[in-house]
Amino acid sequence: MSKSWAGLTGETGQVGRAGLVGRLTGAALAAALLAGAATACGSNGAGADGAAAGRAGAPSTASPTPSATPEPFSALGYRGLKPGMTQEVALATGALEATPVSVLNGCTDLAYRGGPAPDPVRMATEEAVRARLADAEAKNEATKKEIAVFPTLPPKPSAKDFRTLADQLTAFQEKVKARDAAHDQLMKVFDELKAVRDARDLAFLTTGRAGFGLDGLRELVAPAGARTAEGIGAGSTVEELKAAYDVQGLQLGKDGKYSLWAGIGQVEQGWRYEFTVDTERVTGLALVNHDSYCS
């Protein structure tokens, strides 16, 4: 028992019962008066005693402000952008910058509002590869037509026909060589195209982009911080990715990306989620329709 309360109870023998009652009554009256004053001063919420009580840990009756739920990245739409949406309608949402950041393969890619500006060096490289690809494809088709018909002898051939056939076969062999060379060149340009495509994808892996082709929006790359409804996005572990989507048919492709169908109503249209990963973590998230073409 503390010294103050010991004095009041008369345990020291200096205070009698009557003194105890008088002191308790006076103390109670003073406490009541102080409580009433505090209530009067703090009734409008601005009193110093009320602020002190709040600092002392008095329970608050104010309702907490609910936190906003982040918009999930899904095939239903993201930032107003929806699968198949035309470029004009997409720009009207205000979610994208108007100036293209890539025109690879005839597709037009736009950055999200506030995203990276166009890189003229990378875009010039893309345009050069696009021109080489168009030339290589044209030569490949032309040489293919040259060997479409194999030389043959006419009915009842003469000695002259045999000599003519020999000349034709020699020429045909040269055409086959030209066709092989054209095909090899086309494959070489395809490799160049893959390299510039990979460079573009890496440039926008964390900032995101929207790609438009013949059928409208065909690819939507998520910006950093975007998550699916299951909470998967850049930074998630591969284990978390598998735990969320293995039961939905998650597959590992030859390109090293994980993918799965985007959901009911999107499967028939070819839409898939694609997750770019490194050894242990997801590094990128996209929604892609590989059945929709650029040109």
Side-chain angles (χ1 to χ4, degrees):
M1 185 174 290
S2 66
K3 292 182 179 179
S4 59
W5 282 107
L8 284 175
T9 57
E11 289 182 16
T12 62
Q14 297 177 4
V15 181
R17 190 173 190 80
L20 172 63
V21 173
R23 288 180 128 182
L24 286 173
T25 303
L29 179 60
L33 290 172
L34 287 172
T39 302
C41 291
S43 61
N44 60 1
D49 289 343
R55 288 192 297 270
S60 173
T61 58
S63 300
T65 302
S67 59
T69 301
E71 178 187 9
F73 184 84
S74 78
L76 298 178
Y78 184 72
R79 295 187 182 181
L81 305 172
K82 299 179 182 298
M85 175 181 284
T86 66
Q87 183 175 330
E88 292 73 19
V89 174
L91 283 170
T93 67
L96 301 171
E97 297 287 351
T99 305
V101 293
S102 174
V103 290
L104 193 60
N105 258 25
C107 273
T108 300
D109 288 353
L110 305 177
Y112 289 100
R113 179 70 68 182
D119 182 342
V121 175
R122 181 174 50 76
M123 293 187 69
T125 301
E126 291 180 2
E127 178 58 27
V129 172
R130 185 206 64 77
R132 287 199 294 273
L133 177 63
D135 181 67
E137 287 179 330
K139 289 180 178 178
N140 186 65
E141 286 300 314
T143 56
K144 185 190 299 185
K145 291 179 180 178
E146 288 291 324
I147 60 173
V149 179
F150 191 82
T152 58
L153 288 168
K156 299 181 179 180
S158 63
K160 181 180 179 181
D161 291 331
F162 278 103
R163 290 192 296 271
T164 300
L165 177 61
D167 293 339
Q168 290 175 338
L169 290 174
T170 300
F172 189 83
Q173 289 177 343
E174 294 302 316
K175 292 178 181 179
V176 170
K177 291 179 182 179
R179 166 72 175 92
D180 290 342
H183 182 266
D184 290 344
Q185 178 61 23
L186 180 60
M187 294 301 101
K188 181 180 178 180
V189 177
F190 275 145
D191 289 339
E192 295 177 10
L193 179 64
K194 182 181 183 304
V196 295
R197 183 188 296 117
D198 289 346
R200 182 220 37 206
D201 291 349
L202 182 61
F204 294 93
L205 182 63
T206 57
T207 59
R209 61 183 172 82
F212 297 86
L214 293 175
D215 301 317
L217 181 63
R218 64 176 297 276
E219 183 176 13
L220 192 61
V221 180
R227 294 287 184 274
T228 65
E230 291 76 17
I232 302 300
S236 299
T237 65
V238 173
E239 288 73 14
E240 291 170 335
L241 171 66
K242 292 179 178 179
Y245 296 119
D246 266 352
V247 295
Q248 298 185 37
L250 184 70
Q251 298 177 346
L252 177 60
K254 294 181 180 179
D255 57 359
K257 297 180 180 179
Y258 285 91
S259 67
L260 74 155
W261 292 113
I264 297 174
Q266 302 295 337
V267 174
E268 296 80 3
Q269 301 176 34
W271 287 94
R272 299 182 70 92
Y273 288 115
E274 288 189 347
F275 301 89
T276 303
V277 300
D278 57 17
T279 305
E280 298 180 351
R281 293 190 177 275
V282 175
T283 57
L285 164 64
L287 183 66
V288 186
N289 183 354
H290 291 296
D291 293 337
S292 179
Y293 300 98
C294 291
S295 59

